[in-house]
Amino acid sequence: MDFSKTNSVSNPLFKKIEQIRRRPAKVKDTHINLAHGSGGKAMRDLIDDIFVNNFDNPHLSPLEDQASLDLSNLLQQGDRLAFTTDSYVVDPLFFSGSDIGELAINGTVNDLAVSGAKPLYLTCSVILEEGLATETLRRVATSMKIAAQKAGVQIVTGDTKVVPHGCADKLFINTAGIGIIPSGINISAHNIQPGDAIIINGELGNHGAAILIARGELALETNIESDCQPLHDLVATILNVCPQIHAMRDATRGGLATVLNEFALTSNVGIRINEASIPVREEVKGICEILGLDPLYLANEGKLVVVVRGEQAHTVLSAMKSHPAGKDACIIGEVIASPPGVVFLKTTFGTERIIDMLVGEQLPRIC
């Protein structure tokens, strides 16, 4: 047999094979099975159909074991690399206002943004439980695609694992993110000084309340939605008017109270906040009263805590209010010299109480 003719591009059989190879694969299974994590054709079809089709970009499309990034391009945007990682195990996967896919993108983008970095590239690794509906995974991937487009980032590499039924809970996502910090930006809790003002960009506790209601454990009807949103553009707006921001952090697990305690301990200062100045929806207050929770500890996924010199506070506040993600921004307190490492809340009754670090877990698997 003449193998040169058999393997020729003009050979009809060869052409048919090439067409099959190049044709976009389509997952036919209605549920994830162990073969989807085996490294074979089922896994390749799953990756091509659900992930590559949604995340496709020049860095991802070669499907190598890593993404190759142009360092010269990165260096033109700043002088330091911001690098973060996070995992998402929220229950349920879908809830009012968001879902685990959007949460994974925005959470990683925000962790980069609060350093002053411009988020650029993300990774996506998923752990799938055998039996997960394929349509659920497709829905999550589509949500991630939309969130990444809104945030201006690219998902450039990833990984897929499948575990037997009962060894995970439907779907876990791990992401890592890379961003570039522009020259002259130095945001750190170590910069905080007495006299600094503390600003937040809006209502607290909406995400935690939305998750709690979505679990169906309470017979409550409310229109509370998660505040899940990317904050990078709001941060850019802030830095445009005040590059000398002392500290920034997104108030996720542990809420505002935990962030402020971390600030106070890191910088060895005291912090005083005013209860009357802290925006919390009446519905969230009501849920907290019923369950004995404190909204200051509830998780958020689109809330930013900014610490800036007192004399610059109103300039920063005005800039934040001009942005959709900061339209409800307000100054809620100040940094004091002593006692160091302590956070005080001035109550609406005119008294003060200490706001300590969260002990235990108010709501598990919140993000």
Side-chain angles (χ1 to χ4, degrees), residues 12-26:
L13 178 61
F14 184 83
K15 286 185 176 181
K16 184 67 174 178
I17 292 173
E18 283 299 296
Q19 290 172 358
I20 293 173
R21 285 177 175 172
R22 292 172 183 171
R23 183 186 303 152
K26 184 75 173 178

Side-chain angles (χ1 to χ4, degrees), residues 86 88 102-112 228 250 301:
D86 207 343
Y88 298 86
E102 183 182 22
L103 188 67
I105 299 299
N106 289 343
T108 307
V109 165
N110 293 345
D111 284 345
L112 293 170
C228 184
D250 53 335
E301 287 298 340

Side-chain angles (χ1 to χ4, degrees), residues 13-124:
L13 178 61
F14 184 83
K15 286 185 176 181
K16 184 67 174 178
I17 292 173
E18 283 299 296
Q19 290 172 358
I20 293 173
R21 285 177 175 172
R22 292 172 183 171
R23 183 186 303 152
K26 184 75 173 178
V27 176
K28 297 180 180 179
D29 300 296
T30 59
H31 292 79
I32 299 299
N33 58 62
L34 293 177
H36 290 121
S38 67
K41 185 179 186 303
M43 180 174 174
R44 178 61 182 249
D45 289 351
L46 182 78
I47 292 172
D48 284 348
D49 181 13
I50 294 180
F51 296 114
V52 175
N53 281 347
N54 277 296
F55 305 158
D56 195 27
N57 60 73
H59 300 290
L60 177 67
S61 57
L63 293 182
E64 301 288 355
D65 287 339
Q66 69 291 311
S68 298
L69 308 175
D70 185 352
L71 288 179
S72 61
N73 178 53
L74 299 180
L75 290 172
Q76 291 175 9
Q77 302 182 60
D79 59 6
R80 281 160 297 155
L81 190 71
F83 184 31
T84 188
T85 186
D86 207 343
S87 297
Y88 298 86
V89 297
V90 66
D91 177 39
L93 299 180
F94 304 93
F95 44 89
S96 181
S98 191
D99 58 70
I100 189 173
E102 183 182 22
L103 188 67
I105 299 299
N106 289 343
T108 307
V109 165
N110 293 345
D111 284 345
L112 293 170
V114 293
S115 72
K118 176 184 179 182
L120 295 173
Y121 304 114
L122 270 59
T123 71
C124 170

Side-chain angles (χ1 to χ4, degrees), residues 307-324:
V307 183
V308 62
R309 288 190 181 93
E311 60 269 22
Q312 297 173 314
H314 287 284
T315 299
V316 171
L317 181 64
S318 295
M320 292 176 69
K321 283 181 171 293
S322 71
H323 192 282

Side-chain angles (χ1 to χ4, degrees), residues 151-162:
V153 296
Q154 293 181 329
I155 301 170
V156 296
T157 189
D159 185 53
T160 304
K161 294 291 188 296
V162 179

